[in-house]
Amino acid sequence: SMSDFSPEVVIHMAAQPLVRLSYADPVLTFGSNVMGTVHLLDALRRHAKPKAIVVVTSDKVYENDGSGLAHQEGDRLGGHDPYSASKACSDHFVRAYGETFDLPYIISNCSNNYGSHQFPEKLIPLFINNIINKKSLPVYGDGNYTRDWLYVEDHAKAIDLIFHRGINGETFNIGGFNERKNIDLVRELCRQM
């Protein structure tokens, strides 16, 4: 149980990370992203009382206003699909447990990570693998959806900085300032491969 360990710090990254899977199984996505977070928070409030909880979620928590502009930490939370709704709900629960049970927390909403050893179903490794194996490249829609890309080691450095210098109750948006349309990313991967 949590009381056996009594962690002083918890960095919570556990989640179902695939948007596509959220369409196939929204209940599983809700269970992982929302109930998983709630179970962790409840165990911490009952048994551990850590000094800090850093919760790493997604920039998908924000309402998509269609502007294409980067989100600000105070922007309205959205939920236009099962994945983003589950992530926004998770963030709401973190804040609710902080307010109701005085649990310390810092939230990090990050953009899409990429790097070595990434799960092979994620866009960049999937496309690299498909290019190597001369398979089709399954671009979502017309490929004009824009995403920001953040190198995983830069994200790890940001989490470390948030942990050491963040203030209880703060939310941080972590991005790579590397926005690209999916179709442009695919073309660049094809060119480089």
Side-chain angles (χ1 to χ4, degrees):
S1 86
M2 191 67 73
S3 58
D4 293 335
F5 298 99
S6 297
E8 290 185 22
V9 175
V10 173
I11 299 177
H12 173 50
M13 297 182 209
Q16 185 285 103
L18 299 172
V19 174
R20 187 177 73 250
L21 182 58
S22 77
Y23 284 73
D25 196 341
V27 174
L28 177 67
T29 300
F30 180 86
S32 295
N33 293 348
V34 180
M35 293 307 298
T37 298
V38 170
H39 285 297
L40 174 67
L41 293 169
D42 209 57
L44 291 171
R45 87 169 172 98
R46 292 178 185 275
H47 305 292
K49 300 289 185 188
K51 294 178 184 172
I53 305 168
V54 178
V55 180
V56 179
T57 68
S58 169
D59 62 355
K60 305 291 185 293
V61 300
Y62 293 111
E63 187 175 83
N64 186 355
D65 62 6
S67 71
L69 299 173
H71 290 286
Q72 302 299 310
E73 284 82 354
D75 284 356
R76 183 176 167 168
L77 296 182
H80 61 277
D81 60 35
Y83 177 83
S84 60
S86 72
K87 297 303 252 178
C89 188
S90 175
D91 281 12
H92 279 308
F93 268 105
V94 170
R95 290 182 181 97
Y97 268 72
E99 184 72 26
T100 305
F101 304 112
D102 199 30
L103 275 179
Y105 71 88
I106 298 170
I107 295 175
S108 164
N109 300 123
C110 71
S111 58
N112 298 283
N113 283 215
Y114 70 93
S116 63
H117 308 294
Q118 190 172 25
F119 192 66
E121 288 191 9
K122 300 301 271 180
L123 191 142
I124 291 176
L126 173 68
F127 277 49
I128 290 172
N129 184 58
N130 285 7
I131 292 166
I132 290 169
N133 293 299
K134 298 184 182 346
K135 293 182 177 181
S136 66
L137 305 176
V139 177
Y140 177 75
D142 62 4
N144 285 315
Y145 182 71
T146 300
R147 301 170 82 180
D148 182 47
W149 295 94
L150 174 63
Y151 184 55
V152 69
E153 289 185 20
D154 292 335
H155 188 201
K157 290 174 187 172
I159 293 169
D160 185 59
L161 186 63
I162 288 168
F163 166 68
H164 285 99
R165 298 184 59 192
I167 297 171
N168 181 35
E170 284 187 311
T171 297
F172 293 90
N173 290 346
I174 309 301
F177 299 102
N178 190 19
E179 292 185 351
R180 292 175 183 231
K181 290 182 181 177
N182 283 349
I183 195 68
D184 294 336
L185 177 61
V186 171
R187 288 181 181 131
E188 179 64 20
L189 290 170
C190 287
R191 188 186 70 73
Q192 292 207 22
M193 295 299 292

